[in-house]
Amino acid sequence: MENNVLNGMERIDPNLSDEMLAELFLDQMMNDFKRSKILEEIDQSLKNKDKEAFLRLTEKLKSIP
């Protein structure tokens, strides 16, 4: 997860302010965290054979940028 953020940071315009970079970094970290938690919930729904939860969570996962 951290490596993805660092790779993304290399492509950022050097003219952006430190504040903007920090905000972008935090946004990416939050999205990565949300994605990770949803993936854990998807795994659990599969273990529980809960089709409704699986479908709901996969839709939720698609909405994360």
Side-chain angles (χ1 to χ4, degrees), residues 14-44:
N15 295 324
L16 292 176
S17 71
D18 289 342
E19 183 177 327
M20 291 174 73
L21 287 174
E23 188 174 337
L24 287 171
F25 178 79
L26 288 174
D27 285 345
Q28 184 63 47
M29 292 301 294
M30 286 301 297
N31 287 338
D32 288 349
F33 178 77
K34 289 175 187 176
R35 190 175 295 108
S36 173
K37 287 308 214 181
I38 292 171
L39 288 171
E40 288 177 14
E41 291 179 46
I42 288 173
D43 286 345
Q44 190 62 43

Side-chain angles (χ1 to χ4, degrees), residues 1-2 5 10-11 20 27-28 35 49 55 59:
M1 180 171 17
E2 186 175 312
V5 173
E10 292 172 0
R11 298 184 303 243
M20 291 174 73
D27 285 345
Q28 184 63 47
R35 190 175 295 108
K49 299 180 181 177
L55 293 173
E59 286 302 313

